[in-house]
Amino acid sequence: MKPIFFNAEMVRAILEGRKSVTRRVVKKPYYIDEDVLLPESGLCMHFGTNETNGMPYPDQIYRPGDILYVRETWQFIPCIDCRQEESCNMQPITYEDREMVGEGCFIYKADCLEPNHVYWHPSIHMPREAARIFLRVTDIRVERLQDIDDDGVVAEGLNIGDPFDELWDSTIKPADRALYGWEANPWVWVIEFERISWEEAQP
């Protein structure tokens, strides 16, 4: 099982069933010999030629059938802090890494639309035990970023006419936009997925 990162807005889109695809930058220069490139491999000729120049053939970022768990902005709330013991319908979670309190619940920023006083942990630090969203990769291909069409925008969780370019640039560090921003029109992995249950995600 592999991780994949989404911000709170995109997590909400997945939970609402509006998002079934994501795009990720192809950051390495791939030189692929077309004679040995299988159509289903999802690799591209990037930055150049049809010669490998001695470079190994890289694996793609994911493969169809891979199971992914979503890393999102999160926090662990011990039961002692909950104040909702009588109305809580969640099974307390044992979180062994905590020093003092071992039971509580994971909460997620995507569920908290109003300002709050929670100290959130970034998604990169979310343990797999906290994952609540599991995805199965159904297809993967490469294309230029600006090749996205209206169907692609909708599958990304937006409405036709929504500024996908602005959304994309908001996910790219300002220092990297010259290489990977909308105007740069980079090669991207187009990763299609379906949401599955925790039970389906287990090996």
Side-chain angles (χ1 to χ4, degrees):
M1 192 179 300
K2 303 176 182 178
I4 188 169
F5 297 85
F6 286 101
N7 62 28
E9 180 181 358
M10 294 296 97
V11 167
R12 284 192 289 270
I14 292 172
L15 292 173
E16 294 167 6
R18 297 184 288 109
K19 186 174 178 67
S20 60
V21 69
T22 187
R23 284 164 169 75
R24 304 296 163 105
V25 170
V26 179
K27 290 190 175 181
K28 295 181 180 179
Y30 291 165
Y31 299 89
I32 304 302
D33 187 339
E34 287 183 308
D35 291 337
V36 299
L37 176 60
L38 298 176
E40 64 270 19
S41 70
L43 297 172
C44 67
M45 287 198 312
H46 187 46
F47 292 148
T49 77
N50 62 354
E51 306 234 345
T52 62
N53 293 330
M55 296 177 64
Y57 301 129
D59 288 334
Q60 48 193 83
I61 183 171
Y62 301 117
R63 294 183 181 275
D66 280 353
I67 305 299
L68 314 179
Y69 68 95
V70 172
R71 279 183 163 174
E72 55 181 305
T73 305
W74 65 289
Q75 178 56 282
F76 178 84
I77 302 297
C79 285
I80 194 173
D81 293 338
C82 185
R83 308 286 190 268
Q84 297 182 26
E85 291 86 350
E86 294 182 4
S87 61
C88 181
N89 59 5
M90 299 182 67
Q91 187 70 23
I93 298 168
T94 298
Y95 191 31
E96 302 297 342
D97 290 341
R98 296 189 61 83
E99 294 180 0
M100 298 178 62
V101 181
E103 288 189 339
C105 295
F106 294 111
I107 63 171
Y108 307 91
K109 188 174 183 180
D111 297 337
C112 302
L113 302 181
E114 299 297 327
N116 54 71
H117 300 290
V118 176
Y119 177 78
W120 295 108
H121 294 304
S123 57
I124 194 170
H125 297 311
M126 193 191 85
R128 189 167 70 177
E129 295 77 23
R132 58 170 175 165
I133 302 174
F134 301 91
L135 310 173
R136 180 186 289 118
V137 177
T138 58
D139 189 39
I140 184 167
R141 63 184 185 276
V142 289
E143 65 182 30
R144 289 286 191 176
L145 176 61
Q146 293 182 19
D147 287 344
I148 190 171
D149 57 15
D150 287 345
D151 289 340
V153 169
V154 172
E156 283 275 4
L158 304 177
N159 296 313
I160 295 176
D162 285 349
F164 181 75
D165 55 341
E166 294 180 11
L167 174 65
W168 176 266
D169 281 348
S170 72
T171 67
I172 305 297
K173 295 178 181 179
D176 291 338
R177 287 179 188 159
L179 285 176
Y180 305 127
W182 175 263
E183 291 299 326
N185 196 24
W187 286 101
V188 293
W189 298 107
V190 182
I191 305 160
E192 298 182 9
F193 56 81
E194 60 182 356
R195 189 179 174 193
I196 60 175
S197 66
W198 179 87
E199 291 78 9
E200 292 175 289
Q202 302 314 300

